Amino acid sequence: MGTIETRGIWLTTTDSKVLRSKQRIAEAMDLLAETGFNVVFPVVWNKAVTLYPSQTMQQTFGVEIDPMSLGRDPLEEVVVEARRVGLKVIPWFEYGFASSYNLNGGVLLQKKPEWTARDRNGNLLKKNGFEWLNALDSQVQEFFLNLVLEVVKNYDVDGVQGDDRFPAFPSEGGYDEGTVGLYHQQFDRNPPQNPKDRQWLQWRADILTGFLANLYQEVKAVNPNLLVAIAPNIHDWAFQEYLQDSPTWLKRGIVDMIQPQIYRRDFRSYQAIADKLVDQQFTHATLPRLAPGILMKLGSYSISPEYLVQAIEYNRQLGIQGEVFFFYEGLRENNNTLAKVLRNGPYAKSASFPTLSDLSAGSVSNKRTSSIWQRLLKKIF
């Protein structure tokens, strides 16, 4: 049996034109297949628009697709071109429950003011520039579930992916009338004014976990082989700041693949977080589900070839069988330098994308077991 690894990359609309024409998509799929990748995560939801014609958006907001894509279906083009070269496709719902970025809620909240998330002062919930829909509201959750389901029902995809905004909700939120009422009904008191109160954090995180469990079931009802992947922020920060309870998701088996965003700009920092994940969050049984997100490019930052290779090699040492890179344009810089580094180095031999049974097998290869033992021995002596 050959190598089984997740070798993935995100396709964005931010700082990238790759999804803006069928020709660019075809060229990208050729490059990715030649480089040794086996899965792409194309964005399908951001800035209050979809990158596929959406009946859910049409019915709820009167906008069927991203205006830049009128007359095309970028998701369908990605599926066709990816299949042509043997790549898997897992659409990525980038904005999740965020309604807008520095637009005071944007068109979504103009049309649906009752979906507004509120902080403890009753203001529109805003964090790091993003304004938020109320992720704890059942109508908002149903809207989002419908977006996901129309993708898995209408396209030949291999799964769906959420991220640090899905399922997620800034912990400063939850002070809208509906959520306060629900909390009061259960505990006969109002929620704590301290958004970081442990019980209040957990109560809201449990609502999001319940939503994910429901979404997981609904996706599997369409096709049990579809993967549900999430690229959350790193635990426990993600729990404190965005109510993302990934250890519980893993325990409950409601996520097939998890790609924590280890977006660090030097190898030592990356290494420290990877160690912590393997030691504290993932067990023998859940380790196959881990394929960290690695920052390849952001603004003027670009990963060095040395760090790139080190991170992949270190993942394998820890028994982590794969990674996903943010994002595609990083491969293209300086005449495809990083693509060449991967093709001639860690991705020189081809690898199959893991099946669902690979991900849930918890079967640890001897190499992996021995590396874990070596690390334990090092700690002891």
Side-chain angles (χ1 to χ4, degrees):
M1 197 166 110
T3 309
I4 297 170
E5 288 178 2
T6 299
R7 297 177 178 178
I9 197 139
W10 278 286
L11 306 178
T12 66
T13 48
T14 306
D15 292 335
S16 175
K17 293 193 170 75
V18 66
L19 296 172
R20 291 289 172 223
S21 79
K22 190 170 166 44
Q23 188 193 343
R24 284 194 171 116
I25 290 169
E27 283 167 9
M29 298 307 134
D30 286 338
L31 176 78
L32 292 170
E34 282 162 22
T35 303
F37 284 90
N38 55 25
V39 57
V40 291
F41 296 87
V43 64
V44 289
W45 165 248
N46 65 6
K47 299 178 185 166
V49 289
T50 53
L51 271 90
Y52 63 91
S54 164
Q55 285 314 108
T56 300
M57 281 297 288
Q58 183 64 56
Q59 286 157 11
T60 317
F61 294 105
V63 182
E64 193 186 37
I65 191 170
D66 171 18
M68 297 272 284
S69 303
L70 269 181
R72 293 175 52 230
D73 182 344
L75 176 55
E76 181 58 23
E77 292 170 5
V78 170
V79 169
V80 168
E81 296 303 329
R83 293 284 177 251
R84 175 177 61 80
V85 294
L87 294 168
K88 304 284 183 189
V89 181
I90 300 181
W92 163 47
F93 291 81
E94 180 187 8
Y95 262 47
F97 290 118
S99 63
S100 57
Y101 183 72
N102 288 329
L103 290 173
N104 199 34
V107 291
L108 299 184
L109 290 180
Q110 272 167 22
K111 288 249 170 88
K112 289 272 184 191
E114 68 274 24
W115 286 6
T116 303
R118 303 271 172 205
D119 65 18
R120 64 183 171 187
N121 300 317
N123 298 324
L124 165 62
L125 179 62
K126 183 169 179 169
K127 186 160 173 159
N128 297 332
F130 285 96
E131 292 105 8
W132 286 74
L133 300 165
N134 183 9
L136 307 175
D137 178 277
S138 58
Q139 278 193 349
V140 173
Q141 292 183 355
E142 192 181 348
F143 162 74
F144 209 86
L145 178 63
N146 288 336
L147 283 183
V148 170
L149 290 179
E150 64 186 359
V151 165
V152 294
K153 285 175 181 170
N154 298 334
Y155 295 88
D156 174 26
V157 294
D158 298 284
V160 287
Q161 186 191 48
D163 61 6
D164 54 348
R165 288 185 283 273
F166 159 57
F169 192 54
S171 57
E172 294 79 3
Y175 294 91
D176 59 284
E177 248 174 70
T179 307
V180 169
L182 204 61
Y183 187 89
H184 199 281
Q185 209 180 326
Q186 211 171 327
F187 300 105
D188 209 20
R189 62 174 191 270
N190 281 343
Q193 277 298 292
N194 169 18
K196 295 274 202 315
D197 173 88
R198 192 74 197 183
Q199 181 267 342
W200 173 226
L201 282 175
Q202 192 64 58
W203 185 81
R204 288 170 296 162
D206 289 346
I207 294 176
L208 291 184
T209 296
F211 165 72
L212 179 59
N214 180 39
L215 180 132
Y216 188 85
Q217 269 181 321
E218 294 267 359
V219 167
K220 298 291 179 175
V222 174
N223 176 352
N225 294 319
L226 289 166
L227 298 172
V228 174
I230 313 276
N233 252 309
I234 293 151
H235 193 72
D236 168 69
W237 187 90
F239 177 79
Q240 300 275 348
E241 298 295 329
Y242 286 96
L243 307 174
Q244 294 197 296
D245 192 357
S246 50
T248 299
W249 306 343
L250 282 162
K251 256 191 225 105
R252 286 185 57 180
I254 54 174
V255 61
D256 298 313
M257 302 186 86
I258 198 155
Q259 291 102 5
Q261 298 178 24
I262 314 186
Y263 289 176
R264 297 299 179 271
R265 297 185 184 209
D266 66 286
F267 175 64
R268 288 259 171 265
S269 309
Y270 178 88
Q271 187 179 25
I273 293 169
D275 280 347
K276 203 170 143 189
L277 281 174
V278 171
D279 288 340
Q280 294 174 17
Q281 195 181 338
F282 286 81
T283 62
H284 182 83
T286 57
L287 195 59
R289 297 176 183 230
L290 173 62
I294 297 178
L295 185 63
M296 186 175 259
K297 175 179 164 55
L298 187 64
S300 60
Y301 169 79
S302 204
I303 197 170
S304 71
E306 295 74 27
Y307 172 11
L308 176 66
V309 173
Q310 271 180 311
I312 297 170
E313 284 177 352
Y314 196 67
N315 282 351
R316 300 302 175 271
Q317 267 180 35
L318 293 180
I320 297 171
Q321 298 301 314
E323 47 280 320
V324 181
F325 293 103
F326 189 86
F327 61 108
Y328 172 73
E329 296 303 327
L331 292 169
R332 303 302 310 262
E333 288 194 334
N334 305 324
N335 196 16
N336 303 346
T337 295
L338 295 178
K340 289 169 188 162
V341 168
L342 289 171
R343 184 168 56 216
N344 300 324
Y347 289 2
K349 284 196 185 119
S350 68
S352 308
F353 184 72
T355 62
L356 200 53
S357 59
D358 294 322
L359 296 168
S360 45
S363 57
V364 178
S365 70
N366 291 337
K367 185 183 83 177
R368 190 188 293 174
T369 312
S370 69
S371 82
I372 292 168
W373 272 113
Q374 279 164 358
R375 290 173 58 235
L376 281 174
L377 289 169
K378 245 191 235 165
K379 280 181 187 165
I380 296 165
F381 300 109

